[in-house]
Amino acid sequence: MAEINLSISGRKAQSLNLVQKLGAIIGLVAIGIILITWGGLTFKNNVLWLSLLLSCIFIGAIVYTIGTYKGKTAGIKNDGVFHRSHTSRGVVGWAAGIVFTAFYIFLYWYPEYLGYASGVEGTNQGLVALFDPLSMFFKGKPASQWFVYGTLYTAIIISLGIKFIVKYRNNRYQVTRTIVVIVSQLFLAYLIPEILAGMNYNDAVDASGQYLGWYDTDIKNVWPLDYDFFYNWHMDAMQAPAYQPLGMTYLVWGIFLFAIGTPIITYYVGKRWYCSWVCGCGGLAETAGDSYRQLSSKKLSAWKFERWIINLVLVFVSIMTLATLYGYFMNTNSLFGLDIYAYFQKPYGFIIGAAFSGVIGVGFYPILGNRVWCRFGCPMAGYMGLIQRFKSRFRITTNGGQCISCGNCSTYCEQGIDVRAYAQKGQNIVRSSCVGCGVCSSVCPRGVLKLENGPEEGRFGNEGPIVLGNDGFKLDQ
Amino acid sequence: MDKIVIIGNGISGVTAARHIRKNSDQPILIISAETEHFFSRTALMYIYMGHMRFKDTKPYEDWFWEKNNIDLLFDFVQNIDVENKMLQMKSGAPVLYDKLILATGSKPNMFGWPGQELNGVQGLYSYQDLEKLEENTKITKEAVVVGGGLIGVELAEMLISRGINVTFLVREAQFWGNVLPEQEANLISDHLREHHVDLRLNEELDEIIDDGNGQVKQVKTKSGEYIDCQIVGLTVGVSPNIDFIRDSGVEVDRGVLVNEYLETNVQDIYAVGDCVQFKQAPAGRKAIEQVWYTGRIMGETVAQTILGKRTAYHPGPWFNSAKFFDIEYQTYGWVRPQFAANESDFFWKHPNGKMCIHVVWDNSTDEFIGINTFGIRLRHELFDQWLKNKASIQLVMSELKTANFDPEFYHHYEEDIVAKFNAHTGMSVAIKPKKWWQKLMTN
Ligand SMILES: Cc1cc2nc3c(=O)[nH]c(=O)nc-3n(C[C@H](O)[C@H](O)[C@H](O)COP(=O)(O)OP(=O)(O)OC[C@H]3O[C@@H](n4cnc5c(N)ncnc54)[C@H](O)[C@@H]3O)c2cc1C
Ligand code: SF4
Ligand code: SF4
């Protein structure tokens, strides 16, 4: 497989070494288990096969990482990125994109085809059933498609996060932030919520069998990314007596984080504290999506589109949420005669919550790059972006006149920022979309870029057309 | 309005065009026979290694030129007719100009070695050289790279990224010996060897040997050794690309001769960038400086003159940068391979062998003269200012923490550096805590 050059770009692809092949085969076993159970096969011994699946994900990634980086010095590892089919929109890339996309379509709209409650009396089959033992372990009930998703998501962030750390081990910014993102995903997004559910602090039934509701117990999942925070059922669940004092704590925390925490932290360090340090979507983009960061469009036209669309989503989520709150406090289902669910919540959930963030956002990684959602769609990114652009101490400083316009920074900016356009003019990069991943700074061969927080004064760097190094004249303009 | 024609679409020609366009509407035409659009020559290696595609190395999108009303012509200028202010082109009709800027860059040196015309022997400068390399390395297993400078290292790294064994012949006793002091040269030599470069110091190319079909099969070195190879990279420096200018009446020597205003001997003809040779070198500088930054500064400068504000070329303090495989290098001011009598130096090296700094100062006045840094990034602005203000070595050392430009969370070594510096010199510099760096800027 690896020897055949499937790349559209037509250059010689480097073939995988033995250890990489072994890692890839182990990874393929994991994918195989997912595909055949997705295809409908239900295993008898789910404990065994689930253990095998998860082990294959971790071991496959680790073996592949060893094969890729063992014996190599620490440094930038982008050799062959545009020669390989799967990282340069070759046939393999397209195939991966199609599989990812299909997975999301099934996940959101046809979970029964993943096996969710598709068996007799609503028991799980296939892929979802495979995860029943783990779900039983955490909370004593069978898995949902979301539990499957959350588990796979976490396993992928951890395993490919380890690969990322090894790949960027020369850069302590990258290592530090990736450890944080792994820990956030594992504990805040996965373990703590599952354990709380297991302790009946969430997603529980009372003694009479009455369902008490579900609310989001990932403390970093904040409105407007968590767009259903103010939905009636969510607000009710947080206030359910059985969940106290935890439910109310989450309610207060959610509002605090959105209204006070986020602007303050973003003012001091930029939106990166969220997007590339703790966020789950960002976590997946940075780990699983790292191989695709070079595929984001750097065109000016893409930037223009981005500014429209992301702010429109922000407006959309705000209107939708205002309608929701109106309904909640006025105890009504409609606003100006429009049904709040049908006209506000449902379209948002479908178009933005599912289609944009999941199907396009992750499914299209190998085609459009790993941050499509974060760049064009995420309302949280839009909100923090406004703060970052207009009222923040964060900037990427350009080191005087040292830029040689090589283009590595722009190429590897997952957000499609033409970093070079600023750097070669000696200007700093102050852009609402920058998620502070720091990769531009890592890949710059001349040490030109530094992410830093400092006084707002002088934040934009060089103002004149003349770049540092020319003492001949000053332009008086 | 005067029509401005620029020969060469590299950094110097393009910078001139952009700065002219910023302040004037006069017609501008850029001619090049290399690529249709400006690309970054410094990124050639990354195309070959698969880090970028060619289009990623273009600093401006293709619509930029038309939008800014800068005309482009893809053709070769064969001759300059200075009498009629006309350029004879290779394929198209002659081009008339009112003002002409020569920005023709360099070409790789070839020193007349026997066999240098064989297939598989090449330099690395142009986009065409890159295409040739792609062709030449289709089946290559072994390569010899000749010449221990920056382009040679880049070529070695490129070849190694494709699994080709590289033997690197360096004439001097040290790597890049005409620029780096011994300690730095050794550090880089060690690093090259770590990357499996077969580095041969004190070794020169004698002859390139034909396999009988016009293809290189071996090289013979001056010491008499034969080394098998299917490709020979000649990276023994570059010289101004001025062959077509020689008989035009524009005065040339090794490069196009210009005064401090970048004017040639012919009225309305200017030259910028790699092809330039100053009749009188700017203070403290060489007459020919073939780096990206000087090309850019000359482009900025000549634009002012063309716009009617005759402006002399005044580069600020010298700076440069490079990367040797994994190790980044920056330099500010002058750290020469041999120190003058009035110069003292201090060298610090990390035990991992991949980081070092080397500072030089005047031992009678304590004035800071220059710094080389490997594996540690430093702030250009601060050093630029310190060099202009003739800061003392004590000041520079005491503010090293603020001058650091490494990414956040990196390990810092300033305490250790200054402690060793004090021990070495008997000075007692107290290192200052890190401040917001702009607080140190006084103007
Ligand atoms: C591989 C490599 C790596 C480098 N890395 C660095 C680095 O890291 N840092 C650094 O400072 N410098 C570096 N340099 C040097 C730097 O690239 C040059 O100094 C710089 O590009 C020179 O720019 P220029 O505009 O003067 O000329 P060029 O970029 O050479 O442009 C001249 C153009 O004019 C065209 N031309 C010439 N004659 C004619 C004619 N008669 N008709 C039509 N067109 C013509 C040429 O084809 C060429 O396209 C590197 C050079 C190379 C080759
Ligand atoms: S990677 Fe560095 S040198 Fe290259 S264009 Fe970007 S800032 Fe400039
Ligand atoms: S500009 Fe740099 S830090 Fe910001 S998103 Fe792009 S690559 Fe990451």
Side-chain angles (χ1 to χ4, degrees):
Chain A
M1 182 189 85
E3 284 83 350
I4 311 167
N5 179 15
L6 297 169
S7 161
I8 295 177
S9 78
R11 287 263 167 67
K12 179 174 88 175
Q14 285 134 326
S15 53
L16 301 182
N17 64 35
L18 229 79
V19 183
Q20 282 175 309
K21 276 183 193 152
L22 183 66
I25 289 168
I26 299 172
L28 284 176
V29 172
I31 293 170
I33 296 173
I34 292 174
L35 288 180
I36 54 173
T37 51
W38 181 357
L41 183 78
T42 308
F43 286 117
K44 291 225 169 55
N45 190 341
N46 280 322
V47 175
L48 179 77
W49 287 95
L50 179 63
S51 312
L52 184 65
L53 169 62
L54 293 177
S55 314
C56 283
I57 292 177
F58 288 112
I59 297 173
I62 289 169
V63 171
Y64 189 86
T65 302
I66 293 172
T68 311
Y69 303 119
K70 186 167 191 290
K72 302 256 170 75
T73 55
I76 296 308
K77 298 281 169 271
N78 288 333
D79 287 354
V81 164
F82 281 102
H83 300 164
R84 280 193 292 269
S85 180
H86 88 282
T87 54
S88 62
R89 275 188 215 122
V91 177
V92 180
W94 278 95
I98 290 166
V99 175
F100 294 166
T101 306
F103 179 76
Y104 275 90
I105 289 176
F106 282 96
L107 179 73
Y108 281 107
W109 296 301
Y110 305 103
E112 61 275 19
Y113 291 104
L114 299 175
Y116 176 62
S118 63
V120 275
E121 290 176 354
T123 54
N124 290 332
Q125 290 179 302
L127 180 61
V128 181
L130 187 61
F131 286 75
D132 279 344
L134 192 60
S135 185
M136 292 302 288
F137 168 77
F138 277 123
K139 45 195 180 188
K141 58 183 185 182
S144 66
Q145 80 270 34
W146 298 116
F147 182 78
V148 174
Y149 181 52
T151 308
L152 285 176
Y153 199 103
T154 306
I156 287 171
I157 288 187
I158 298 171
S159 56
L160 295 178
I162 293 171
K163 174 169 180 278
F164 185 97
I165 288 173
V166 177
K167 175 176 172 189
Y168 289 91
R169 66 187 186 278
N170 63 319
N171 187 310
R172 286 177 44 98
Y173 180 76
Q174 300 301 350
V175 172
T176 314
R177 103 182 147 79
T178 305
I179 292 171
V180 173
V181 105
I182 290 175
V183 167
S184 303
Q185 175 62 29
L186 179 61
F187 291 95
L188 303 183
Y190 186 70
L191 288 179
I192 293 177
E194 297 302 344
I195 291 167
L196 288 178
M199 291 163 64
N200 287 331
Y201 269 117
N202 194 7
D203 207 15
V205 283
D206 69 9
S208 64
Q210 171 85 22
Y211 184 55
L212 298 170
W214 179 88
Y215 63 103
D216 196 331
T217 44
D218 175 356
I219 58 159
K220 62 190 171 48
N221 199 7
V222 53
W223 188 91
L225 175 58
D226 183 19
Y227 60 91
D228 50 19
F229 186 84
F230 295 105
Y231 283 16
N232 289 16
W233 55 263
H234 195 257
M235 297 282 275
D236 290 344
M238 286 189 288
Q239 295 170 62
Y243 296 156
Q244 301 316 321
L246 208 67
M248 283 307 286
T249 312
Y250 272 99
L251 179 62
V252 173
W253 168 254
I255 293 170
F256 168 83
L257 190 56
F258 151 69
I260 300 170
T262 297
I264 290 179
I265 309 174
T266 307
Y267 169 73
Y268 280 104
V269 300
K271 76 201 244 187
R272 56 187 173 146
W273 74 272
Y274 197 81
C275 299
S276 64
W277 282 75
V278 300
C279 177
C281 309
L284 192 72
E286 293 293 339
T287 53
D290 177 57
S291 314
Y292 307 115
R293 57 175 63 251
Q294 66 284 355
L295 301 174
S296 61
S297 173
K298 316 307 184 296
K299 291 193 181 137
L300 187 64
S301 51
W303 182 20
K304 286 189 176 152
F305 176 70
E306 165 198 313
R307 282 182 294 184
W308 272 104
I309 186 100
I310 193 164
N311 289 311
L312 279 176
V313 173
L314 186 56
V315 170
F316 189 4
V317 77
S318 304
I319 292 173
M320 185 276 283
T321 302
L322 286 176
T324 301
L325 285 170
Y326 174 84
Y328 182 78
F329 286 113
M330 298 314 222
N331 219 349
T332 168
N333 290 330
S334 65
L335 174 68
F336 305 128
L338 299 175
D339 185 77
I340 293 173
Y341 173 70
Y343 285 89
F344 296 96
Q345 297 179 343
K346 195 173 166 213
Y348 186 89
F350 178 81
I351 303 172
I352 310 297
F356 205 157
S357 83
V359 180
I360 301 176
V362 183
F364 287 18
Y365 269 14
I367 307 304
L368 298 175
N370 57 333
R371 284 271 193 180
V372 176
W373 162 247
C374 314
R375 178 182 182 192
F376 297 106
C378 177
M380 180 71 183
Y383 166 44
M384 290 186 296
L386 292 172
I387 301 169
Q388 171 160 293
R389 172 67 183 73
F390 296 108
K391 191 70 193 162
S392 170
R393 291 165 56 88
F394 173 70
R395 86 291 315 272
I396 302 178
T397 302
T398 286
N399 201 9
Q402 285 280 23
C403 174
I404 54 168
S405 302
C406 69
N408 275 296
C409 52
S410 299
T411 303
Y412 287 91
C413 175
E414 54 194 356
Q415 289 290 77
I417 298 173
D418 190 357
V419 181
R420 164 176 57 193
Y422 302 84
Q424 65 192 358
K425 288 192 257 178
Q427 293 170 353
N428 295 346
I429 294 88
V430 178
R431 278 280 291 269
S432 54
S433 63
C434 171
V435 291
C437 67
V439 169
C440 53
S441 163
S442 307
V443 298
C444 174
R446 296 295 178 270
V448 176
L449 304 164
K450 178 169 163 67
L451 282 63
E452 55 186 357
N453 315 311
E456 288 171 79
E457 193 198 342
R459 197 176 163 227
F460 291 86
N462 182 26
E463 283 158 16
I466 303 302
V467 183
L468 186 68
N470 191 349
D471 280 359
F473 55 99
K474 296 252 185 298
L475 285 189
D476 31 34
Q477 45 171 253
Chain B
M1 264 189 296
D2 281 351
K3 176 178 178 187
I4 304 194
V5 175
I6 301 171
I7 308 180
N9 66 350
I11 179 67
S12 55
V14 164
T15 305
R18 280 179 40 242
H19 282 264
I20 295 168
R21 178 54 76 240
K22 233 182 254 295
N23 292 294
S24 139
D25 294 333
Q26 56 206 108
I28 301 176
L29 170 70
I30 307 182
I31 304 174
S32 170
E34 185 180 10
T35 54
E36 224 170 304
H37 298 105
F38 170 46
F39 77 101
S40 181
R41 189 172 304 293
T42 51
L44 277 174
M45 66 184 293
Y46 299 109
I47 303 174
Y48 183 83
M49 298 198 299
H51 295 206
M52 286 189 269
R53 296 156 296 188
F54 171 66
K55 68 173 183 183
D56 302 316
T57 68
K58 292 194 265 188
Y60 305 96
E61 286 186 61
D62 291 350
W63 49 257
F64 174 89
W65 310 100
E66 200 183 318
K67 177 164 177 270
N68 287 288
N69 204 9
I70 296 174
D71 294 329
L72 304 178
L73 178 63
F74 186 56
D75 200 347
F76 185 78
V77 180
Q78 272 178 318
N79 189 30
I80 308 171
D81 176 351
V82 299
E83 293 301 313
N84 299 307
K85 291 195 158 184
M86 187 167 79
L87 306 176
Q88 302 294 346
M89 309 303 295
K90 188 163 176 196
S91 16
V95 172
L96 295 171
Y97 65 83
D98 295 306
K99 291 192 171 153
L100 179 67
I101 303 176
L102 302 170
T104 59
S106 314
K107 58 182 192 329
N109 288 335
M110 296 277 168
F111 289 138
W113 284 289
Q116 73 178 22
E117 70 297 332
L118 291 172
N119 286 333
V121 181
Q122 69 167 109
L124 178 66
Y125 188 83
S126 63
Y127 184 68
Q128 285 68 30
D129 289 336
L130 192 73
E131 292 181 314
K132 204 192 265 179
L133 187 69
E134 195 66 61
E135 201 50 44
N136 279 338
T137 50
K138 278 216 167 109
I139 45 152
T140 304
K141 285 268 159 280
E142 293 136 329
V144 169
V145 176
V146 184
L150 295 177
I151 298 180
V153 180
E154 291 189 0
L155 182 57
E157 182 173 354
M158 292 158 76
L159 294 166
I160 282 176
S161 80
R162 297 270 183 109
I164 296 168
N165 296 325
V166 174
T167 308
F168 198 2
L169 306 184
V170 175
R171 186 180 59 184
E172 291 79 21
Q174 290 164 30
F175 173 75
W176 212 21
N178 55 346
V179 175
L180 294 181
E182 193 183 346
Q183 295 99 318
E184 285 96 311
N186 289 340
L187 180 136
I188 295 304
S189 297
D190 290 344
H191 189 57
L192 295 183
R193 294 194 172 108
E194 189 183 1
H195 279 277
H196 312 292
V197 176
D198 183 356
L199 179 63
R200 311 279 181 94
L201 299 171
N202 287 315
E203 185 64 288
E204 276 182 77
L205 176 64
D206 191 35
E207 184 185 347
I208 306 170
I209 298 162
D210 193 340
D211 71 347
N213 299 315
Q215 176 74 34
V216 48
K217 110 179 155 186
Q218 276 183 327
V219 301
K220 178 171 176 266
T221 67
K222 283 258 162 80
S223 67
E225 195 182 340
Y226 289 86
I227 303 170
D228 288 343
C229 59
Q230 299 80 48
I231 175 170
V232 178
L234 297 178
T235 55
V236 286
V238 295
S239 35
N241 181 14
I242 53 166
D243 289 341
F244 76 102
I245 305 172
R246 281 191 194 284
D247 304 321
S248 62
V250 176
E251 207 184 333
V252 299
D253 175 28
R254 284 190 294 145
V256 179
L257 287 170
V258 297
N259 62 15
E260 57 178 329
Y261 297 100
L262 301 160
E263 297 159 339
T264 68
N265 63 317
V266 179
Q267 175 85 28
D268 291 335
I269 300 187
Y270 307 82
V272 290
D274 272 24
C275 66
V276 157
Q277 178 180 356
F278 286 97
K279 285 183 200 150
Q280 184 138 40
R285 305 289 283 252
K286 299 191 198 88
I288 303 181
E289 277 178 349
Q290 290 151 311
V291 290
W292 184 264
Y293 313 109
T294 50
R296 182 178 69 207
I297 299 169
M298 288 187 218
E300 292 169 352
T301 308
V302 81
Q304 297 306 310
T305 302
I306 299 237
L307 290 165
K309 278 208 300 199
R310 193 161 179 247
T311 303
Y313 175 62
H314 275 302
W318 171 255
F319 67 98
N320 201 1
S321 64
K323 191 171 181 185
F324 305 92
F325 287 82
D326 305 317
I327 302 183
E328 288 171 19
Y329 154 69
Q330 295 178 340
T331 187
Y332 300 103
W334 291 110
V335 180
R336 296 183 180 81
Q338 269 86 37
F339 300 108
N342 67 322
E343 289 177 338
S344 290
D345 73 302
F346 166 70
F347 178 78
W348 174 91
K349 182 169 156 186
H350 189 275
N352 73 8
K354 295 188 183 186
M355 289 178 210
C356 71
I357 71 159
H358 205 160
V359 283
V360 181
W361 66 96
D362 186 307
N363 48 33
S364 54
T365 61
D366 283 352
E367 181 187 331
F368 170 67
I369 295 175
I371 186 164
N372 276 348
T373 169
F374 288 75
I376 296 177
R377 297 174 174 179
L378 296 174
R379 282 187 202 273
H380 186 183
E381 268 106 334
L382 285 179
F383 282 95
D384 185 75
Q385 169 159 320
W386 283 334
L387 287 159
K388 278 185 212 158
N389 296 351
K390 302 189 187 307
S392 70
I393 182 68
Q394 290 86 350
L395 174 77
V396 171
M397 295 309 279
S398 69
E399 298 288 4
L400 270 189
K401 283 190 175 173
T402 302
N404 184 287
F405 196 73
D406 278 334
E408 294 150 301
F409 302 102
Y410 268 44
H411 288 300
H412 285 271
Y413 304 100
E414 291 86 15
E415 307 265 355
D416 186 47
I417 293 170
V418 171
K420 299 217 164 92
F421 171 82
N422 284 338
H424 175 81
T425 57
M427 294 186 202
S428 47
V429 171
I431 188 148
K432 302 219 178 102
K434 182 180 171 206
K435 287 197 241 346
W436 178 246
W437 61 279
Q438 279 165 329
K439 297 215 165 87
L440 294 187
M441 306 280 297
T442 51
N443 53 5

